[in-house]
Structures are given as C-alpha cells and as structure tokens.
C-alpha cells in the first residue's frame, strides 16, 4: 500500500525520533489514517524480525487494524477470547481486556503500539499494566487527542510514559487539501446550565448529568432541526446514558425517522449490524453512548447531533471527528450541537498546541461563547461579518446586540470561523505580559495554566532571538 505524502512524512518523523527516544506519542487527527501508520511501522519492524504487539480497547478498532494489516500483507493473529495463544506469529493485535488476563502467556515484544494512546496515562491503569510487563519494549502511542480529562500529562515528567511527542498534519490542513470534508456548525444561542453538577475524573458526573438533561430543556428541538438542516442524512446522536439514548431514539422513530441505540453493553455482532445499518442508510439516526466516540470509521455519516455536555476536550474532538470523513457525494458535514460543546472547546479545525506536560483544570465552570450574528433575512447564524455569508444581507455599520430566536441553532460559516481564528491568533501574538495572557485565558475559558505555558514559550523565543543578535 502506498502512503500519502503527509503520512510518509509523519512516518519519517517517528523513525527519526526512535533514534533518540524509547517511547513516542504520535498525534494525527481523526480521519488522517492512524491505522495505515500502524501497519507501515509494523511492516518495518516485522521485516527486521521484531515481535510487535498492537493494543486497542474495542472490537471495532481491532477489526479495523486487522483489515489494514491484511492490506499490507502482514501475517498476524488476534488476542481475543475466542482466539488461542499463538507465540509463533510475530504480530499480535490485542484486546486490552483479553491480553491483561493472559499477559504471562506471551513472549516479550520488541515494539508495542497503542491505538487511542491517550488512555495510556500511567503504568497503573489497565493499559499501563499491559505494557509495564515488558520494560525492554519500545512503545509507540497514536492518538488524535493527546490529553486526559483530568489534565494529567502523558509525558514521563508528568507521570506518563512517553519521551517525545510527534505531531502530524492538522485538521485544518486536511480539510484544505481535500482529505476531510468541511463542517457546518449549528450551535444554540444558550448552553445547558451545568451549575452545581459535580465533576468526576475530569468530566461531569454521569448520574447527575443524566438527571440534569432530563430536567432541562436542551436548546432547540433535535428532531426538528435534523428535519430542517439535514433530513434523512446518516447521523449519530451522542447521548449521556443508555436511558437518554433510548428516549432520543424513540422520539426520532415516532417522528418518521428510523433510529436505534448502540452502546457498550450490546454484543459485538449487534453493534456491527447497527453500524452497518447506518452505513447502508437503513438507519437514519443511531443514538450512541460512549461507543462511536472513538475510532469507528463510517465515512458516509453526514451529521453529528450532540446531546451530552462534556468538559473533556478529547471527547469533544473524538465526537466531532466521526463526521468529516470523505465519502462519495458528501460535500460537507453537519454538526448540530444542542448543548454548546463547540462553545466550550472550539471547532475541529481550531489550531491547538499539544504538549506532553498536561494542564491543570480549573474548578470553575467557565464556558466561553463565540460572538455570532443572526441574519434577519435568512436566519443564518454566523461569526461577525459585514454581510451574511449565506444570502449576502448587509448589516448596518453600527454594532448592535442582535436578538436570537430561542431554540434555533446557529450556523457558523467557514469564512467567519477563519476570521475569528485569525483575530484570536493576533491577540495572543500581541500579548506582551503574563497578565495579558491570563486575561485571554479567562475570557476564552482555556484550561488553567495555558497562559503560563504560552508566556514561557515567548520568553524562550526572546532569549533565542537575543542570543542570535549577540
């Protein structure tokens, strides 16, 4: 299989880092081809006679990796309950849960590859216990979101396992170069009030979240907006609990759309059939509970319907990453965000500076909003601009606080997203003190410690500049 140019460039960076480092974390956006990179690295290791163990935590991910290895003609076996231990084959694709029960039955590997490696936070969780049994093996972790919900770093100096971070191309670049479709964002003028909901492990407490959603009226009507914005488009609705997902699916079905529920408690055959039904357009809306937020590849999906708030940037990006994959006839994807996660965490293509150090989470529920306008002519909602990007309606020069119709999702156009991002970059660049950066941190709701990290980078850049000038 021939790698794309950006994949080959990323692969070369990984190999170069391995010359100096033992454990490496590689970052590629969802849809960029992490399974291809896994296969290419595995092929190089196998050709040298090295033993390779590849870890994943869901059957869907294991099957995707196995399929990619077949495309590279790489002999391998699976570590699953129905498969016997087989040390005669160098490459093993392992379920984390199965492997940890059999760990003493396997020969030490030379290389360990971990998919969705943001789960590999330390040597003490189940992922860490799998790899810590083989201290001499090198580790390659791959993820689209190198952050933990609790802000814990993934680097060695932060209690993690990785020595180096290699970042590949961005979502923005993938969209611009036609490897992902652009996303049309529809967000509410208000977000669900999460005041008083406890935080557990860096995200909202599951039980309290479900209770709040049952009591609150989520802005807009998910079914009405789906029917208006993207009727019958293959969609995934991301819900807070099984009960919540069942209620949402029932409502969609009652309104003439085929809908079903998928969650981790279902057997793998049922989950596979449900995903296949969505891919074949036999199901309009699949309501999901923590199953299709990572790794699942269904390019035909055109819409994401967010019905669960989250404090986790990683979860938000994993959710959004389900919808922009390329498919025949798919011009763009729709994100109907009924709980304001986009306002908390930004867009899929918002530039982000990843680090192994981690960040300290603020205990305050700071939820920044993105400035937007609502066109009085066509009701398109977008980022501030002299004219509506949808119908061309020109606004008056005087800046006024525009009213928004309660319950209507607001579309944020690509042009205005770019304008806001440019302005935000300039504001950060012009900031000439730590206090100015802390004001930006507070205003935009960034994680506590962001300002200190950026200011340290500015000071280092100044030192280098002064040193060059002599």
């Amino acid at each position: 299989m021939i790698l794309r140019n950006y994949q080959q460039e990323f692969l070369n960076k990984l190999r170069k880092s391995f010359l100096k480092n033992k454990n490496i974390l590689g970052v590629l956006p969802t849809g960029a081809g992490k399974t291809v990179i896994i296969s290419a690295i595995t092929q190089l290791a196998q050709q040298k006679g090295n033993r390779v163990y590849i870890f994943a935590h869901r059957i869907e991910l294991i099957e995707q990796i196995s399929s990619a290895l077949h495309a590279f003609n790489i002999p391998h076996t699976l570590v699953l309950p129905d498969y016997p231990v087989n040390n005669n084959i160098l490459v093993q694709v392992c379920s984390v849960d199965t492997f940890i029960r059999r760990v003493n039955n396997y020969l030490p590997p030379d290389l360990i590859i971990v998919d969705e490696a943001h789960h590999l936070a330390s040597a003490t969780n189940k992922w860490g216990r799998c790899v810590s049994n083989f201290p001499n093996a090198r580790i390659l972790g791959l993820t689209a979101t190198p952050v933990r919900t609790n802000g814990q770093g993934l680097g060695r100096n932060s209690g993690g396992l990785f020595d180096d971070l290699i970042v590949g191309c961005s979502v923005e670049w993938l969209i611009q170069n036609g490897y992902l479709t652009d996303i049309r964002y529809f967000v509410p003028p208000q977000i669900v009030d999460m005041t008083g909901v406890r935080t557990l492990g860096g995200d909202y407490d599951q039980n309290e979240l479900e209770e709040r959603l049952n009591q609150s009226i989520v802005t807009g009507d998910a079914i009405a907006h789906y029917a208006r914005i993207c009727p019958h488009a293959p969609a995934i609705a991301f819900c807070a609990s099984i009960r919540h997902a069942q209620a949402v699916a029932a409502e969609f079905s009652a309104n003439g759309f085929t809908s079903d529920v998928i969650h981790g408690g279902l057997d793998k055959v049922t989950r596979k059939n449900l995903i296949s039904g969505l891919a074949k357009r036999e199901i309009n809306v699949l309501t999901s509970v923590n199953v299709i937020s990572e790794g699942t590849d269904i390019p035909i999906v055109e819409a994401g319907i967010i019905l669960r708030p989250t404090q986790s940037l990683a979860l938000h990006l994993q959710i959004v990453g389900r919808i922009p994959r390329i498919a025949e006839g798919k011009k763009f994807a729709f994100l109907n965000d009924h709980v304001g996660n986009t306002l908390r965490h930004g867009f899929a293509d918002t530039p982000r500076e990843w680090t192994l150090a981690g960040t300290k989470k603020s205990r305050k529920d700071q939820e920044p909003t993105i400035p937007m306008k609502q066109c009085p002519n066509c009701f398109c909602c977008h980022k501030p601009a002299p004219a509506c990007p949808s119908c061309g309606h020109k606004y008056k020069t005087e800046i006024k606080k525009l009213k928004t119709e309660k319950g209507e999702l607001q579309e944020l156009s690509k042009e205005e997203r770019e304008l806001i991002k440019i302005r935000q970059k300039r504001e950060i660049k012009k900031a000439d003190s730590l206090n100015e950066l802390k004001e930006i941190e507070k205003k935009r709701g960034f994680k506590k410690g962001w300002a200190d990290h950026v200011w340290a980078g500015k000071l280092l850049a100044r030192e280098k500049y002064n040193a060059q000038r002599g």
Side-chain angles (χ1 to χ4, degrees), residues 386-444:
C388 172
S390 179
C391 69
H393 171 80
K394 294 183 179 180
Y395 299 104
K396 293 181 180 180
T397 304
E398 181 183 0
I399 299 177
K400 294 183 179 180
K401 188 175 181 179
L402 300 180
K403 293 183 178 179
T404 58
E405 183 179 348
K406 185 177 180 181
E408 285 298 315
L409 298 187
Q410 304 184 24
E411 179 177 5
L412 306 171
S413 72
K414 178 180 178 181
E415 292 78 8
E416 297 317 313
R417 295 203 306 271
E418 293 302 320
L419 179 62
I420 290 297
K421 283 190 286 187
I422 290 172
R423 288 177 179 173
Q424 290 177 340
K425 286 181 183 178
R426 287 176 179 172
E427 185 181 17
I428 294 172
K429 188 175 182 180
K430 288 181 180 179
D432 201 36
S433 70
L434 178 58
N435 286 336
E436 288 182 37
L437 287 170
K438 285 187 175 181
E439 284 299 316
I440 295 173
E441 177 183 274
K442 181 179 179 181
K443 179 173 65 177
R444 300 191 195 171

Side-chain angles (χ1 to χ4, degrees), residues 221 223 250-257:
D221 177 6
I223 298 169
E251 285 297 315
F252 269 103
S253 297
N255 282 271
F257 300 105

